[in-house]
Amino acid sequence: MRLRVDLLPHGEYSDTVIVVDVLRATTTATVFLEHHADRLLFSGSIEESLGMKAENTIIAGERGGLAVAGFDLGNSPIEAGAGSYAGKTVVMNTTNGTYAARVASASAKHVLLGALRNAHAAARKAKGLAVEEIAIVCSGERGRASLDDTYTAGVLCEYLLAMGEFTLNDGARIALTLRRQVGDPIEPLSSSSGGMSLESKGLGEDIRFCARISESTIVPTLQSTQDGQVIFVSS
Ligand SMILES: O=C(O)[C@H](CS(=O)(=O)O)OP(=O)(O)O
Ligand SMILES: [Mg+2]
């Protein structure tokens, strides 16, 4: 089986993908499902999100790390964890993560959302689904590779290598080398450009939350892409 890490979304995926945006979209998505959201709908734009306002719908996301005017919530996993979403659809749109997930969903057979929070569960689920390739797709930071997502990809690779044999691409070797050199996740997350930007906005507690490894067994899983709607549910 091939194990591939793309440091940025690439475009074409044939088998199983784990999309990573540890700061913060895939962490926050996991928390929404932990708190019983029926489903997550990843929209293509802020305008599309605002057009989906309805009863039993929560509109969440950010620009520049902060909640958008007219949205119910931002992109904070701590804020998401303060609510209960049973019977609700959460519509998310963020700068990097929801875009990467939409790119992967256009071609892959299976798409999972991974973060440090659900790393072990996401790796195990991907191993169970994949036939020939697991691709870990880092969302990155505004079109550039990011330390936080690359480190998280390294943690996922470590778990996967403990579950079986893989041939690795260069991206997987880079991610593993980073993970093996830097044990503590706080360091790469807080020194990444996304992490420094969150800290400067007073959102440092989110970084600490996102750095906790394998506390959740929830893996957001692509349910459908019908009519251009990219929907994730709990698995
Ligand atoms: O909300 C976040 O943490 C980031 C914001 S930014 O791109 O770093 O300004 O968005 P995400 O899509 O979760 O990377
Ligand atoms: Mg990010």
Side-chain angles (χ1 to χ4, degrees):
M1 174 117 49
R2 298 189 303 272
L3 175 54
R4 155 181 170 192
V5 172
D6 284 357
L7 302 184
L8 287 172
H10 185 269
E12 284 297 315
Y13 299 98
S14 59
D15 192 346
T16 300
V17 171
I18 306 174
V19 176
V20 171
D21 186 352
V22 65
L23 295 176
R24 296 169 289 170
T26 57
T27 305
T28 302
T30 301
V31 172
F32 277 128
L33 292 182
E34 284 169 24
H35 286 252
H36 311 295
D38 278 10
R39 55 187 201 151
L40 306 172
L41 197 156
F42 281 11
S43 82
S45 66
I46 288 173
E47 295 69 33
E48 196 183 328
S49 287
L50 289 170
M52 289 179 187
K53 277 196 164 222
E55 209 182 328
N56 292 327
T57 298
I58 303 283
I59 312 294
E62 57 68 45
R63 280 301 177 273
L66 301 174
V68 177
F71 279 26
D72 302 303
L73 294 173
N75 188 28
S76 163
I78 295 176
E79 182 188 42
S84 181
Y85 309 99
K88 296 197 164 105
T89 294
V90 179
V91 177
M92 288 182 72
N93 184 272
T94 72
T95 308
N96 309 293
T98 55
Y99 169 77
R102 286 172 61 92
V103 169
S105 300
S107 57
K109 247 188 227 121
H110 306 286
V111 182
L112 312 176
L113 304 182
L116 291 175
R117 181 164 188 77
N118 66 351
H120 186 260
R124 198 179 46 218
K125 172 128 204 201
K127 181 74 172 57
L129 290 170
V131 175
E132 56 190 29
E133 178 180 90
I134 296 173
I136 300 169
V137 177
C138 298
S139 300
E141 180 71 16
R142 297 160 200 258
R144 301 194 175 182
S146 72
L147 192 58
D148 49 324
D149 289 340
T150 306
Y151 176 89
T152 304
V155 172
L156 286 162
C157 286
E158 267 192 349
Y159 279 131
L160 286 162
L161 288 173
M163 294 173 195
E165 294 213 347
F166 292 90
T167 51
L168 307 181
N169 78 340
D170 286 4
R173 288 170 191 276
I174 291 168
L176 273 166
T177 301
L178 174 62
R179 160 64 175 168
R180 286 169 181 162
Q181 292 220 339
V182 185
D184 184 353
I186 283 290
E187 205 278 301
L189 265 59
S190 55
S191 67
S192 66
S193 62
M196 287 193 292
S197 161
L198 290 173
E199 192 77 58
S200 74
K201 288 166 183 140
L203 295 165
E205 278 312 307
D206 276 359
I207 302 171
R208 260 84 67 198
F209 183 95
C210 293
R212 287 158 29 192
I213 297 182
S214 295
E215 290 193 349
S216 175
T217 56
I218 298 291
V219 184
T221 302
L222 182 67
Q223 182 190 54
S224 76
T225 54
Q226 266 181 357
D227 305 324
Q229 298 215 327
V230 178
I231 294 169
F232 289 87
V233 295
S234 182
S235 72

